[in-house]
Amino acid sequence: MPRMTRDEARRCFAGARVARLATVDPEGRPHLVPMVFARHGEDGIVTAVDRKPKSSPRLKRLRNVAVTPAVSLLVDVYDEDWERLWWARADGGARTVWPDAADEQDRDARRTALALLARKYPQYRDVPPDGPVVLITVHRWSGWRASGEPRTTG
Amino acid sequence: MPRMTRDEARRCFAGARVARLATVDPEGRPHLVPMVFARHGEDGIVTAVDRKPKSSPRLKRLRNVAVTPAVSLLVDVYDEDWERLWWARADGGARTVWPDAADEQDRDARRTALALLARKYPQYRDVPPDGPVVLITVHRWSGWRASGEPRTTG
């Protein structure tokens, strides 16, 4: 049951179409949602909040990272042949950038994130997300595979 | 983008072959691993720790729930047709039961958990997990689907 190297985990993670985002709420409880994402450079991960009714941009994941920036993201592949199981994890820190951010660099970072997401997901080209983006800096890549070479999804 | 009812989330969750378990470490950071699981009754979820070298039963997920029992579990299905996306989440509390638990009821609960897991996963019939089990009581079932009826995995 070998651990993946950092590079292997990074590569397997980046190849996936969906990841799960864990944050921690102000009461110290974990919170989980799936998310589509794009990699930005070596250790960046970006995700966006879709168009939502007015109330929704105050999503729990955003409230959580405002208080506790630590996040964990997981990609995994299940197979009934357990020799083919693998997962890759990214642990890091997150911050939210809103469309009306005062800082010009932040607004640039948001535009870059949206461009990376649109490049990866054709779905975003038709309907670009108009909410905030979440920028994640990965401090640690890790992963595991039952045996052999991991297969990437999609 | 409808929310699932509690019963719908419970049903979709139970039908999945793999879930992701989020715990919180003593420093307040989230931790994520995939897990196979079985449902136990209405609001119970059980999972086990596989055979491991001697040092490994002190897994991070077990250390975490010993300090912070709050856990979040997620099942999700990705599809390039985003109208087919759905996820179901179970939030609750976890405790670990070791094979040598002093309490007879605990040892019974562990045997029940292993039986439920073996019923769901033929893989466990050949090689039953010999480590501790984690018993989760779900306090809240929730879920979301883009539209229409969710498709269960596997």
Side-chain angles (χ1 to χ4, degrees), chain B:
Chain B
M1 294 178 289
R3 289 181 179 279
M4 287 187 191
T5 64
R6 187 183 58 175
D7 287 345
E8 193 178 1
R10 192 191 268 131
R11 191 176 67 243
C12 288
F13 192 100
R17 300 292 287 171
V18 66
R20 292 87 206 177
L21 170 70
T23 58
V24 177
D25 76 11
E27 288 73 42
R29 290 177 304 229
H31 178 74
L32 260 183
V33 283
M35 59 175 239
V36 296
F37 70 96
R39 188 169 141 189
H40 184 204
E42 280 277 281
D43 293 321
I45 293 172
V46 299
T47 185
V49 173
D50 296 351
R51 286 171 189 278
K52 299 274 179 187
K54 272 189 183 167
S55 63
S56 293
R58 305 205 173 280
L59 288 168
K60 184 158 185 178
R61 74 198 81 164
L62 304 183
R63 295 199 308 270
N64 288 354
V65 299
V67 177
T68 304
V71 296
S72 186
L73 298 94
L74 185 76
V75 158
D76 63 84
V77 167
Y78 182 78
D79 195 296
E80 291 304 332
D81 176 358
W82 286 8
E83 287 300 305
R84 291 174 178 278
L85 298 181
W86 65 264
W87 56 262
R89 188 172 61 215
D91 294 293
R95 71 185 185 97
T96 303
V97 176
W98 298 82
D100 60 354
D103 189 307
E104 174 61 29
Q105 285 193 316
D106 276 351
R107 292 199 302 275
D108 277 351
R110 179 173 171 275
R111 276 189 291 270
T112 301
L114 293 176
L116 291 166
L117 287 162
R119 189 188 302 170
K120 183 171 176 184
Y121 299 99
Q123 297 89 339
Y124 272 151
R125 284 171 223 156
D126 302 330
V127 187
D130 63 358
V133 299
V134 179
L135 309 177
I136 294 151
T137 302
V138 180
H139 305 312
R140 183 167 177 254
W141 296 95
S142 53
W144 174 93
R145 54 189 159 87
S147 69
E149 274 301 298
R151 301 180 305 175
T152 51
T153 54

